[in-house]
Amino acid sequence: MNTLRAISALTAMILPANCTLADSEHVRILPRVIRLDPSIPQRIVVERMDGTIGVSDLTGTSEIDIVDSRIAGITPDGRISSKSAGTTLLRAKVDGRVVEATIIASDPNASEEWSFRNRVLPVLTRAGCNQGACHGAAAGKNGFRLTLRGYGPEIDHQALTRQALGRRIDLQSPEKSLLLLKATGTLPHGGGMRFSPDSLEYQILSEWIAAGAPGPASSDPRIARIEVLPAAVRLRKDERQKLIVLAHYGDGRSTDVTPWAKFATADEGVAKVDDSGAIQGAGPGETTISVWFSSMVAAVTVTSPYLRPIDPSRFASAPRRNRIDELNLEKLQALGIPPSPDAGDSAFLRRAFLDATGRLPTIEEVERFLADADPEKRSKLIDRLIGSEAFVDYWAYKWSDLFLVSSNKLPPPAMWSFYRFLRRAVEENRPWDEICRSVITAKGSTLADGAANYFVLHRDPIDLTENASMAFLGLSMTCARCHDHPMEKWTQDQYYGLANLFARVRIKDGPTAGDSVVLSSPDGDIPHPRTGAILEPRPLDGDSIPVASRRDRRELFADWLVSPENPYFARAIVNRVWRNFFSRGLVEPEDDLRATNPASDERLLAWLIDDFRKHDHDVAHLIRTIMNSALYARSSSPVDGNEVDLVFGSRYVPERLPAEVLLDAMAQVTRVPTSFSGYPAGWRSLQLPDSKTASGFLDTFGRPERENTCSCERSSEPSMSQALHLANGSTLNEKLRDPRGAPALEIEAGFDDAKIVDRLFKAALSRPPSESERKRLTVVLAESVVGAADAKAARRQAIEDLYWATLTGKAFLFNH
């Protein structure tokens, strides 16, 4: 310990002699402490850092040496190997500065056998042997089947050593093993050559075979996590950066597993990555590099600033109304993307009404807001919207989508009961954690407690497991049902531990029609499909309870779900709410919160989550905070430099109105309500509790069926059927021809053409027409009656056409 302290003190005292780095930059050797595995070399990278972000790989231009070469040696490509047990320093000189890292070496003569679980399977995975396109396919290849990505070590060991009469492994002459002969191309192999005879991969496999091909053991160290260095990098086009992947095991050791990790980029237009973990900048923007090893995943953020110089004053002068703006502007400045200006009162008014309540402002509300000189009028408007009945309708509908409220699987009384529970929760502004706990732990009559219908919708424990993961955590666990998750760290064991939390929910018929009773049973478990074992009920990364415990297991899940230690719960709902206001989540898709799909701005998302928790999971507070930001009020019009940005919030991204909002908006502007069978006259789409309510318009424009919690159920993609519906369908055209509709009523009221144009623009677009628009349209209306046999009918037709053109135009169909 004294040696380590002396080394640390010496390192801290080394100062730059003639440093040319920027004030925020420093040079560091990664990893800072090099713990050498006795058998596997350790890569190092000399990195110029800006805070915690790597900005330049200096390894190739640094003078690198080891203080005590008796303890460790270094290869020209920067790999450190153990020579003897001991501690020394690795020293790198760059830009006149000397930096050092501690080397802790193990005795290379004390190396253990190659572990099948931790060394052999990673070699096969990296070589592609157990991938879905090869022997990891469901049916295998040529009679040889391995589990996908090595997720069944016992099964794979059996396949390699026992099947095919043991021909794949030759314990007497390892070099004659089919496993090696085919992988090196010595014998014909459909997968081609996977590695060479002089590689470390060959050494591992051949020495494992020579040792008797031992199988996985219960005493094997289990991987706890992987670490990628550097965790974030900033690259310009064609700049390169090497990554290091460290596997940390439960026994405290760490090993460089970079040669056996797999890498993938989310956007090749920003950065590419090769099989060795070397990143190359490709273009401006930001992306992630996903890294897989064993059952673990990690992600590296790669930022590539736009090269166009931007005056810093554009960021300094941009409005800041809360912490959201400060963090967003820091992100935009780092990327070199300028923000668009404020959208103006008209655009803000329409946007706020649609995003918060799903309805348009009335003509009177538009006129009153635009005439108001109060500098706080936007904040006051936001408060009024959040306190409105339309707000309750909109968010009750949104949560009904999330929880799949529908008579598809619920009898009508139960469907109404569930809907009323959600609507009342929004109306009372119940905290989100309280709402979710009520749903997860609900019991008794489904008519008395509407939340209990969640278990009627999802009677099967497997369905419950996957729906609860998606709805409450934003995680898809489906892959882990059959094998360890290929895109996440979740194992099949964790899946069935989680599933056993829901295995003892029982449902029986209630005393009245449409009623069911939900209760907790003292017995019932789901065996692991491969081992047959009954795993202890356990939340993801949480503590388990004994199988024999009589406690309602759902309470354990609820406690973990809403606890501060659970990193997914608040993240999921904050991201969903954010997406409602910006047409995309900070994590997109909104319900894909896996580690390899990080947020576009992790600092901003982390702050929002922290603020949401500090305010007791208050969704209304979150909404108010978002809507009061200058970011939310930005124009959708691009400025020079942010034309291609659809991710980082430099401008508002227009989005087509959801089906229900669009139909309600048409009804509001034309003043002809839509009829829904079985519901009172005048009800809006967003007041419907049931997605099964018949409506060709809603189906055509992407209403979800509420069969699946995935956000992909709702569609805003354009289609030919939508265009035909607007052009020739009955929904809009009948509203325009209705004798009680806006065109007929305004003619009857004696409004002149200019007033009709003015009122239409305010009703549909939340703004008055410009002078040129007013002049052009009044001329068109006036010309429509010239020479007409029936001037009154011709004028009526022209006004209906004007309404139709407005209500089918992009300015109306999109929120912008």
Side-chain angles (χ1 to χ4, degrees):
M1 187 66 181
N2 290 336
T3 303
L4 284 177
R5 285 176 178 167
I7 290 172
S8 298
L10 176 63
T11 304
M13 292 171 60
I14 297 178
L15 300 174
N18 57 344
C19 183
T20 60
L21 303 178
D23 291 342
S24 63
E25 293 184 349
H26 58 282
V27 175
R28 178 176 293 172
I29 296 174
L30 302 175
R32 300 187 71 179
V33 177
I34 303 167
R35 301 182 185 275
L36 293 180
D37 185 292
S39 304
I40 298 177
Q42 170 69 60
R43 285 188 182 191
I44 61 100
V45 171
V46 182
E47 187 73 17
R48 189 191 305 272
M49 307 289 295
D50 185 354
T52 59
I53 300 174
V55 295
S56 183
D57 185 342
L58 306 174
T59 312
T61 58
S62 301
E63 298 177 25
I64 303 173
D65 62 70
I66 295 172
V67 172
D68 189 342
S69 59
R70 296 170 299 174
I71 291 175
I74 183 169
T75 62
D77 61 348
R79 297 173 190 267
I80 314 295
S81 297
S82 176
K83 291 184 176 180
S84 64
T87 302
T88 185
L89 290 176
L90 178 71
R91 180 174 292 158
K93 184 176 182 181
V94 57
D95 291 340
R97 175 175 183 162
V98 175
V99 291
E100 295 180 341
T102 303
I103 296 176
I104 303 174
S106 302
D107 183 356
N109 298 317
S111 59
E112 304 170 355
E113 293 177 344
W114 294 112
S115 161
F116 182 78
R117 185 190 308 274
N118 295 324
R119 296 292 176 262
V120 174
L121 281 181
V123 167
L124 299 180
T125 300
R126 175 57 185 267
C129 305
N130 53 26
Q131 302 302 299
C134 198
H135 301 292
K141 288 282 187 182
N142 299 324
F144 181 24
R145 181 179 180 273
L146 296 169
T147 59
L148 184 66
R149 297 193 183 217
Y151 291 148
E154 294 82 5
I155 297 173
D156 291 342
H157 185 262
Q158 175 79 10
L160 284 165
T161 61
R162 298 288 183 268
Q163 292 179 4
L165 302 177
R167 293 187 308 114
R168 297 183 181 117
I169 300 295
D170 189 331
L171 298 179
Q172 302 304 316
S173 302
E175 71 279 2
K176 296 181 180 178
S177 299
L178 285 179
L179 179 66
L180 295 175
L181 292 173
K182 290 198 170 187
T184 57
T186 306
L187 289 179
H189 180 221
M193 181 175 173
R194 309 314 297 169
F195 46 78
S196 64
D198 60 352
S199 66
L200 180 57
E201 287 79 4
Y202 186 95
Q203 177 188 345
I204 291 172
L205 294 181
S206 62
E207 291 182 1
W208 167 71
I209 296 170
S218 59
S219 59
D220 289 337
R222 300 303 176 98
I223 189 168
R225 64 186 177 92
I226 61 172
E227 178 185 14
V228 187
L229 301 173
V233 298
R234 188 163 65 234
L235 293 177
R236 296 195 182 276
K237 185 177 180 181
D238 296 328
E239 289 182 339
R240 295 179 64 84
Q241 170 71 57
K242 288 185 294 184
L243 297 177
I244 299 171
V245 184
L246 298 177
H248 297 275
Y249 294 90
D251 62 356
R253 77 178 74 180
S254 62
T255 302
D256 183 354
V257 295
T258 313
W260 306 290
K262 294 186 76 67
F263 305 89
T265 180
D267 187 349
E268 288 200 343
V270 177
K272 301 176 182 179
V273 63
D274 64 22
D275 289 343
S276 71
I279 307 171
Q280 180 173 338
E286 188 167 88
T287 190
T288 55
I289 303 296
S290 298
V291 183
W292 291 269
F293 176 78
S294 190
S295 60
M296 296 292 159
V297 295
V300 177
T301 301
V302 181
T303 303
S304 184
Y306 286 78
L307 298 177
R308 184 180 302 170
I310 299 174
D311 188 339
S313 65
R314 294 184 66 175
F315 300 102
S317 62
R320 291 168 167 80
R321 298 200 178 99
N322 57 29
R323 182 64 174 158
I324 290 175
D325 300 321
E326 294 171 1
L327 292 170
N328 173 254
L329 287 168
E330 288 176 12
K331 168 65 77 173
L332 293 180
Q333 188 161 12
L335 286 166
I337 304 174
S340 288
D342 187 88
D345 282 345
S346 293
F348 179 85
L349 176 69
R350 186 176 192 269
R351 185 184 301 172
F353 263 87
L354 289 170
D355 283 340
T357 69
R359 77 171 180 89
L360 291 166
T362 64
I363 293 173
E364 294 71 27
E365 286 170 326
V366 171
E367 291 173 342
R368 187 163 54 247
F369 185 79
L370 296 183
D372 191 351
D374 184 351
E376 300 298 319
K377 66 180 182 179
R378 291 188 183 182
S379 294
K380 291 177 180 178
L381 169 69
I382 293 167
D383 289 339
R384 288 197 302 273
L385 293 176
I386 291 174
S388 68
E389 283 293 305
F391 177 88
V392 177
D393 291 337
Y394 180 78
W395 289 93
Y397 195 96
K398 196 168 190 68
W399 301 148
S400 295
D401 275 354
L402 180 65
F403 290 112
L404 308 182
V405 178
S406 171
S407 60
N408 285 324
K409 294 182 180 179
L410 292 174
M415 179 272 296
W416 273 104
S417 178
F418 201 177
Y419 173 75
R420 289 189 182 111
F421 163 79
L422 293 173
R423 195 180 193 286
R424 188 163 53 250
V426 177
E427 191 171 33
E428 296 170 357
N429 193 31
R430 290 179 63 187
W432 185 249
D433 59 339
E434 184 182 311
I435 294 172
C436 295
R437 178 183 285 277
S438 296
V439 172
I440 286 296
T441 61
K443 61 183 65 175
S445 166
T446 58
L447 298 187
D449 183 357
N453 285 288
Y454 180 73
F455 296 96
V456 180
L457 284 167
H458 311 288
R459 293 172 180 263
D460 179 66
I462 295 298
D463 182 30
L464 269 170
T465 300
E466 296 176 7
N467 181 273
S469 300
M470 183 70 80
F472 301 116
L473 304 171
L475 298 174
S476 174
M477 296 292 293
T478 304
C479 290
R481 188 197 310 175
C482 302
H483 48 70
D484 290 0
H485 202 302
M487 302 290 288
E488 263 287 13
K489 68 176 184 177
W490 311 122
T491 66
Q492 193 178 20
D493 286 354
Q494 285 177 300
Y495 179 98
Y496 284 95
L498 180 64
N500 268 326
L501 290 168
F502 302 107
R504 295 184 175 181
V505 181
R506 299 290 181 267
I507 300 170
K508 65 179 184 179
D509 292 338
T512 60
D515 191 15
S516 299
V517 177
V518 176
L519 47 87
S520 177
S521 172
D523 53 47
D525 297 292
I526 303 174
H528 192 292
R530 180 164 49 83
T531 66
I534 302 298
L535 301 177
E536 288 190 337
R538 182 193 300 269
L540 299 175
D541 290 340
D543 296 326
S544 64
I545 59 172
V547 172
S549 173
R550 308 281 288 188
R551 181 185 178 189
D552 187 340
R553 296 173 176 182
R554 296 176 301 159
E555 293 178 358
L556 174 66
F557 179 77
D559 290 343
W560 169 81
L561 182 70
V562 302
S563 69
E565 289 73 33
N566 177 1
Y568 311 105
F569 177 68
R571 184 180 179 91
I573 187 60
V574 167
N575 192 58
R576 288 187 194 277
V577 172
W578 183 273
R579 196 211 181 285
N580 179 80
F581 291 94
F582 291 99
S583 78
R584 62 169 289 125
L586 287 166
V587 178
E588 187 67 17
E590 67 180 77
D591 44 20
D592 184 14
L593 301 190
R594 55 190 160 84
T596 52
N597 186 33
S600 57
D601 191 335
E602 283 290 348
R603 290 181 65 217
L604 174 54
L605 181 55
W607 181 85
L608 287 164
I609 291 168
D610 184 59
D611 186 64
F612 181 62
R613 286 173 171 160
K614 286 178 179 176
H615 288 85
D616 301 320
H617 297 83
D618 185 340
V619 174
H621 166 79
L622 173 62
I623 291 171
R624 185 179 287 106
T625 303
I626 291 171
M627 294 183 72
N628 273 296
S629 68
L631 169 58
Y632 178 66
R634 280 185 193 142
S635 172
S636 60
S637 299
V639 296
D640 189 22
N642 75 0
E643 301 91 341
V644 299
D645 175 33
L646 301 176
V647 175
F648 302 106
S650 62
R651 59 188 177 93
Y652 187 85
V653 179
E655 184 178 35
R656 205 212 69 201
L657 300 181
E660 301 88 342
V661 175
L662 181 57
L663 182 56
D664 288 348
M666 288 179 173
Q668 180 179 334
V669 174
T670 61
R671 283 178 271 175
V672 179
T674 306
S675 279
F676 297 104
S677 178
Y679 293 92
W683 269 43
R684 296 180 299 120
S685 303
L686 288 171
Q687 292 176 301
L688 299 173
D690 188 4
S691 66
K692 201 174 178 181
T693 305
S695 172
F697 184 95
L698 295 180
D699 292 339
T700 299
F701 281 85
R703 172 180 61 174
E705 295 183 3
R706 294 183 180 169
E707 292 282 352
N708 191 320
T709 303
C710 178
S711 60
C712 58
E713 260 210 341
R714 179 177 291 279
S715 173
S716 60
E717 290 298 312
S719 67
M720 182 58 69
S721 60
Q722 292 172 9
L724 293 173
H725 205 102
L726 293 176
N728 303 314
S730 60
T731 303
L732 177 57
N733 289 313
E734 286 184 1
K735 291 181 187 299
L736 295 176
R737 290 192 292 261
D738 195 298
R740 298 160 298 169
L745 292 176
E746 299 203 337
I747 291 172
E748 185 180 323
F751 294 157
D752 62 22
D753 292 345
K755 187 164 186 176
I756 288 174
V757 170
D758 184 78
R759 289 175 61 81
L760 173 58
F761 269 62
K762 289 175 180 175
L765 308 179
S766 304
R767 66 174 177 86
S770 66
E771 282 303 315
S772 62
E773 288 170 332
R774 181 182 290 108
K775 182 177 180 180
R776 186 170 67 253
L777 294 175
T778 52
V779 168
V780 170
L781 291 177
E783 290 176 346
S784 67
V785 300
V786 176
D790 185 342
K792 184 176 180 180
R795 183 168 184 258
R796 165 70 184 268
Q797 184 62 57
I799 293 171
E800 288 179 9
D801 289 347
L802 174 60
Y803 266 78
W804 183 89
T806 302
L807 299 184
T808 59
K810 291 180 181 178
F812 177 79
L813 296 174
F814 283 75
N815 192 1
H816 51 88

